């Protein structure tokens, strides 16, 4: 939390810590640069050391944020967005060139703003079973497995416990965890995609943090893919009051029972589109010999 605000996006944490979205070198232990990827703005934030961790409140590592000017409409726009996601994932050194990859869709399938992870898992090209059962036909494919972990309230099992057991059994080279996030700015809800090599803490975006999923806890690289689907109401109010020049005490918004989250009214269609886009992009990044069009044919 920075300045009384809950922030999942490293880009927004950097903006708030600097006081300006344009500055890129003021913070010690933090490097940032702007680029484009398949026509989409791309921001790279590298947290280099403990100073950077303290400044942004996030673990050291690389955070790449794609900005979508609008929700992709139609097949071609979804495919272009998927190519950008694949390109961002391939830019992470933590993504291994070969070996089994486990993709975990985190969240609650029954709650639409939190259903991004499970629905992305549904849209993946999974191949581990084919490679093992029909090696002559599919042995050239990369083994990819997917799991929609569910939430403790529905399963009685902590997500971290479940994934630790699956990782121990499958021994994948990498885990890709997909989850919904919380944004600071309402214009970034369902319009930004963050990938990082730092792992993830499920539930942290809505103030319900669980066991961390990272290299330290699982023993393998953990790549996080997230899209903000909500804005915390307190964070939104703080920004509005600050913009109006009003004096206020941030602690007023942290009283018990004051944790409310805001989501778009058309969140159902937005999550459907984004989960499809992420499924295509993650699959194309893992199956390097496949284009997003190839993945689309296999997953339709």
């Amino acid at each position: 939390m920075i300045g009384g605000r809950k922030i999942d996006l490293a880009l927004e944490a950097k903006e708030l810590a600097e006081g300006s979205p344009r500055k890129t070198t003021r913070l010690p232990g933090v490097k940032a640069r702007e680029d484009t990827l398949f026509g989409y703005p791309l921001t790279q934030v590298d947290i280099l050391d403990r100073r950077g961790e303290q400044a942004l409140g996030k673990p050291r590592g690389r955070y790449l944020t794609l900005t979508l000017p609008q929700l992709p409409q139609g097949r071609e726009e979804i495919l272009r967005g998927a190519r950008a996601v694949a390109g961002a994932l391939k830019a992470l050194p933590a993504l291994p060139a070969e070996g089994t990859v486990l993709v975990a869709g985190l969240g609650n399938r029954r709650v639409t703003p939190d259903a991004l992870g499970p629905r992305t898992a549904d849209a993946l090209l999974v191949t581990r079973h084919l490679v093992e059962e029909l090696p002559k036909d599919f042995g050239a494919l990369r083994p990819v497995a997917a799991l929609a972990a569910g939430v403790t309230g529905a399963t009685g099992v902590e997500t971290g416990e479940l994934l630790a057991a699956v990782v121990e059994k499958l021994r994948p080279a990498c885990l890709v965890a997909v989850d919904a996030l919380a944004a600071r700015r309402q214009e970034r809800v369902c319009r930004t995609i963050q990938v990082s090599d730092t792992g993830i803490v499920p539930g942290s975006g809505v103030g319900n943090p669980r066991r961390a999923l990272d290299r330290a806890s699982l023993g393998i690289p953990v790549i996080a893919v997230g899209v903000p689907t909500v804005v915390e109401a307190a964070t939104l109010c703080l920004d509005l009051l600050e913009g109006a020049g009003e004096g206020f005490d941030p602690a007023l918004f942290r009283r018990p029972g004051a944790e409310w989250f805001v989501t778009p009214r058309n969140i159902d269609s937005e999550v459907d589109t984004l989960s499809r886009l992420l499924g295509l992009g993650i699959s194309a990044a893992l199956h390097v010999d496949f284009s997003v069009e190839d993945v689309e044919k296999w997953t339709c």
Side-chain angles (χ1 to χ4, degrees):
M1 186 176 295
I2 301 177
R5 298 164 174 84
K6 291 180 179 178
I7 297 175
D8 284 341
L9 297 176
L11 169 63
E12 292 188 330
K14 172 183 164 294
E15 290 176 357
L16 185 58
E18 289 181 337
S20 168
R22 297 293 181 184
K23 298 175 183 177
T24 59
T25 58
R26 282 181 51 190
L27 297 175
V30 178
K31 287 178 60 178
R33 68 184 183 90
E34 305 288 336
D35 205 343
T36 58
L37 189 59
F38 291 95
Y40 296 111
L42 176 71
T43 303
Q44 177 177 318
V45 176
D46 292 323
I47 300 178
L48 306 175
D49 53 32
R50 185 173 297 276
R51 296 174 304 165
E53 291 179 330
Q54 292 175 343
L56 299 190
K58 298 188 177 299
R60 72 189 67 184
R62 175 166 295 176
Y63 299 80
L64 299 173
T65 304
L66 283 165
T67 300
L68 311 177
Q70 60 183 11
L71 189 74
Q73 301 292 328
R75 174 177 175 271
E76 290 305 319
E77 288 188 20
I78 292 175
L79 294 182
R80 182 164 72 96
R83 293 186 194 100
V85 170
L89 285 168
K90 292 176 182 178
L92 294 177
L95 183 66
E98 56 186 18
T100 300
V101 173
L102 172 63
V103 182
L106 309 180
N108 190 339
R109 192 184 293 273
R110 303 173 188 174
V111 180
T112 304
D114 198 33
L116 180 78
R119 294 189 189 180
T120 297
D122 293 342
L124 292 167
L125 174 56
V126 294
T127 54
R128 179 176 175 269
H129 59 304
L130 299 175
V131 173
E132 290 193 350
E133 296 176 12
L134 300 168
K136 290 185 179 180
D137 297 316
F138 299 102
L141 297 178
R142 178 179 207 156
V144 173
L147 174 67
V151 292
T152 305
T155 65
V157 181
E158 284 280 355
T159 299
E161 295 174 338
L162 177 60
L163 289 176
V166 175
V167 166
E168 182 178 358
K169 175 66 175 179
L170 300 188
R171 299 192 180 278
C174 177
L175 171 69
V176 178
V178 185
D179 200 7
L181 307 177
R184 174 193 178 192
R185 303 291 190 189
Q186 59 183 357
E187 60 267 22
R188 288 195 170 112
V189 172
C190 295
R191 299 296 182 270
T192 48
I193 300 169
Q194 177 176 272
V195 302
S196 70
D197 57 7
T198 61
I200 194 169
V201 179
S204 59
V206 292
N208 185 32
R210 319 303 290 183
R211 172 178 170 176
L213 304 175
D214 54 22
R215 185 188 286 269
S217 64
L218 296 176
I220 59 173
V222 178
I223 292 173
V225 179
V227 175
T229 58
V230 297
V231 177
E232 188 196 27
T235 296
L236 184 61
C237 290
L238 285 168
D239 281 343
L240 291 173
L241 287 171
E242 187 178 78
E246 299 287 342
F248 59 91
D249 179 3
L252 293 174
F253 296 92
R254 296 298 167 198
R255 292 176 296 183
E259 292 187 346
W260 294 74
F261 291 85
V262 181
T263 195
R265 64 180 181 179
N266 56 340
I267 188 64
D268 299 81
S269 61
E270 301 215 353
V271 166
D272 282 343
T273 297
L274 289 165
S275 59
R276 178 62 178 156
L277 186 156
L278 290 180
L280 289 169
I282 294 170
S283 297
L286 300 180
H287 300 287
V288 294
D289 294 328
F290 282 23
S291 67
V292 292
E293 289 85 359
D294 295 329
V295 173
E296 182 187 36
K297 293 175 184 177
W298 282 58
T299 55
C300 282

